[in-house]
Amino acid sequence: METLVRTYGRGLTALFIGLVGFWILLMIIVPQIRMIERAFTYEDRAGETATLALAIDRAYTEKFQLEQELSGLERAGPAVGQMPSAPSPFAPSMTMPSATPVAPAIPSLPTPGMVPSASAPSALSDEDRTARAEELRDQIATLDKEIAELEAKEDTSSGEAGMKERISLENFTSMSGLHLKIFAMTLLYALTVTICTFLISYPVAYAAAMAETRGKLTLILIGLVIPYASNELLRIFSWVMILEKNGVLNSLLDSLGLIDLAAGEGFRFVASNGAVFSVMVYAYMLFMVFPMYNTIDTLDKAQIEAARDLGGSIWKIHTRIVIPHAKPGIAVGSIITFMLSAGTIAAPEIVGRGLHPDWFSQLIYRRFFEADSWNQGSAYSLALLAACILFILINMAIFKVSVRDIAK
């Protein structure tokens, strides 16, 4: 505080502190208090409006199941016809069961066919696939009409929403087993992305810190920063264009004669979490590189030279000198990368568009904006926040760093 006053004067210091305090209050404290309040408030839904909302949510889920089966049939053979447009990234996933109790008198909906296993479409003849595809298209068209009617009724509904609120833990305890599994797997996915990002970023950070000339350092840093001059969504869509079945990577394999795209061959690289991991590593690499570079750059290079003179191997130099010195930077980079990975929705939604397992952030989005269950969405968000805070504490304990060390 005294340093700020001496540097900027009392007036500017007071203005700076006031703006920071207002920002923290408006953007952090108030939203968190509201989220906690909603998370522990359970809504008991009934009435016409709430019933229609649940029916619409169920219809979107069933429609997505049909689209997934249709997509599987079309990938199995060319006789089915042209593949329809991919489902919207904002449509509910086939893996999302409604955690809200279903109110009575929900309008009847067409019952979709079961989603077949990956081997089922290829076991059908071309005629059977074509017939099943036409049947699925008819069912999807029926569902589209049903959804439009339900949404029109919802817009004109004058019925009571019928929501009774009470303080309860039900928003947490009513989480289905599937949602709990997705929650645990999302934490594992985020940890995997963090580890992969560290393994790729550490050599880059070390090379930048050990650069012998300013020109070499500038070249490395510019190479890192230039891709981030574009929007994150553009970077994600660029990866989709590379990894899609008709994308750059399959075109390269086709030009090398390894596959024949004209014959329908090609790999659907986006249909796996591996593609999502790759995109996230690329998107968040900078947040891992710079904290490590800042700490490694403060290391006395004479220690490395002395270790080499004494016959130390590269492995021992890094594990006994460089990495212990860089622990604060590694801790900061891991925290940022993990929290960004656990909370992202853009990459899991866009890459593959439903062809890989759900992430918990997608469930949170649907709770808020499709199931219209803000209270349960708040509970899910609070659970994810608690998991991220626990990761931070564990991370600090593993690297034996304090908040003051991280702040440096």
Side-chain angles (χ1 to χ4, degrees):
M1 180 67 70
E2 294 179 359
T3 304
L4 288 175
V5 173
R6 286 197 304 268
T7 305
Y8 301 105
R10 293 182 181 275
L12 287 177
T13 300
L15 178 62
F16 174 74
I17 294 175
L19 290 175
V20 171
F22 178 75
W23 176 267
I24 292 174
L25 178 67
L26 183 65
M27 300 301 295
I28 299 177
I29 296 178
V30 172
Q32 290 299 324
I33 291 175
R34 181 56 176 158
M35 186 179 73
I36 293 172
E37 177 189 354
R38 279 184 172 272
F40 289 96
T41 302
Y42 180 73
E43 292 180 345
D44 188 4
R45 297 188 173 198
E48 179 185 2
T49 304
T51 299
L52 288 171
L54 290 172
I56 293 170
D57 187 33
R58 178 187 295 178
Y60 271 117
T61 302
E62 294 178 352
K63 177 186 173 184
F64 184 66
Q65 290 177 334
L66 294 175
E67 288 175 335
Q68 286 295 100
E69 182 180 353
L70 179 59
S71 177
L73 286 171
E74 291 174 331
R75 287 197 302 270
V80 177
Q82 187 178 1
M83 181 179 289
S85 59
S88 169
F90 305 105
S93 170
M94 59 182 287
T95 58
M96 185 200 73
S98 178
T100 309
V102 179
I106 293 178
S108 60
L109 297 167
T111 303
M114 296 298 293
V115 178
S117 63
S119 60
S122 59
L124 299 175
S125 64
D126 288 348
E127 293 77 9
D128 291 339
R129 280 200 300 270
T130 302
R132 179 57 181 161
E134 290 300 324
E135 181 183 351
L136 290 173
R137 291 192 185 99
D138 291 340
Q139 293 181 16
I140 291 172
T142 302
L143 271 176
D144 283 334
K145 182 179 179 181
E146 189 79 28
I147 290 171
E149 293 176 354
L150 290 172
E151 289 178 341
K153 289 181 181 179
E154 184 184 37
D155 292 338
T156 59
S157 174
S158 59
E160 293 291 333
M163 294 184 185
K164 298 179 181 179
E165 297 183 347
R166 64 176 184 271
I167 302 299
S168 173
L169 293 174
E170 285 190 63
N171 289 323
F172 298 94
T173 58
S174 62
M175 188 184 299
S176 67
L178 179 59
H179 286 192
L180 283 173
K181 180 181 178 181
I182 293 174
F183 176 69
M185 292 305 297
T186 296
L187 299 180
L188 180 60
Y189 296 156
L191 181 61
T192 303
V193 172
T194 303
I195 294 173
C196 292
T197 306
F198 167 74
L199 294 176
I200 295 175
S201 301
Y202 177 77
V204 178
Y206 180 79
M210 296 294 123
E212 298 177 356
T213 63
R214 298 291 298 180
K216 183 178 179 181
L217 174 61
T218 302
L219 185 63
I220 294 174
L221 295 182
I222 289 178
L224 289 170
V225 172
I226 283 179
Y228 290 82
S230 61
N231 185 274
E232 180 182 353
L233 288 177
L234 294 179
R235 297 198 301 271
I236 294 174
F237 277 113
S238 297
W239 272 97
V240 172
M241 293 175 66
I242 294 172
L243 300 174
E244 260 291 3
K245 188 172 182 180
N246 293 320
V248 175
L249 189 53
N250 274 317
S251 297
L252 177 61
L253 296 176
D254 180 61
S255 64
L256 295 174
L258 300 177
I259 60 173
D260 186 359
L261 285 179
E265 298 179 2
F267 300 99
R268 201 74 184 272
F269 295 105
V270 294
S272 68
N273 264 323
V276 182
F277 295 163
S278 301
V279 174
M280 285 188 178
V281 169
Y282 175 77
Y284 305 138
M285 180 178 173
L286 211 60
F287 299 100
M288 181 72 79
V289 169
F290 278 125
M292 289 194 295
Y293 163 73
N294 289 334
T295 52
I296 297 175
D297 190 49
T298 62
L299 176 64
D300 185 0
K301 310 303 186 294
Q303 296 184 42
I304 298 177
E305 293 298 329
R308 287 173 179 168
D309 293 340
L310 293 173
S313 63
I314 295 177
W315 173 258
K316 288 185 178 180
I317 289 174
H318 284 281
T319 56
R320 296 188 181 183
I321 298 176
V322 183
I323 292 179
H325 182 82
K327 285 193 298 184
I330 297 173
V332 171
S334 299
I335 290 171
I336 296 175
T337 304
F338 180 87
M339 296 188 72
L340 288 173
S341 301
T344 186
I345 188 173
E349 282 283 5
I350 295 173
V351 180
R353 299 179 296 281
L355 298 177
H356 51 72
D358 278 336
W359 288 51
F360 199 67
S361 54
Q362 295 171 278
L363 297 184
I364 293 174
Y365 175 87
R366 293 171 193 139
R367 292 294 91 192
F368 273 104
F369 299 110
E370 292 175 2
D372 195 25
S373 181
W374 283 48
N375 289 19
Q376 193 172 54
S378 298
Y380 282 24
S381 301
L382 193 61
L384 186 60
L385 175 62
C388 289
I389 292 175
L390 181 61
F391 174 82
I392 293 174
L393 297 177
I394 294 174
N395 191 66
M396 292 171 62
I398 291 175
F399 289 100
K400 297 180 181 179
V401 296
S402 62
V403 175
R404 179 172 297 181
D405 295 327
I406 292 178
K408 292 179 181 179

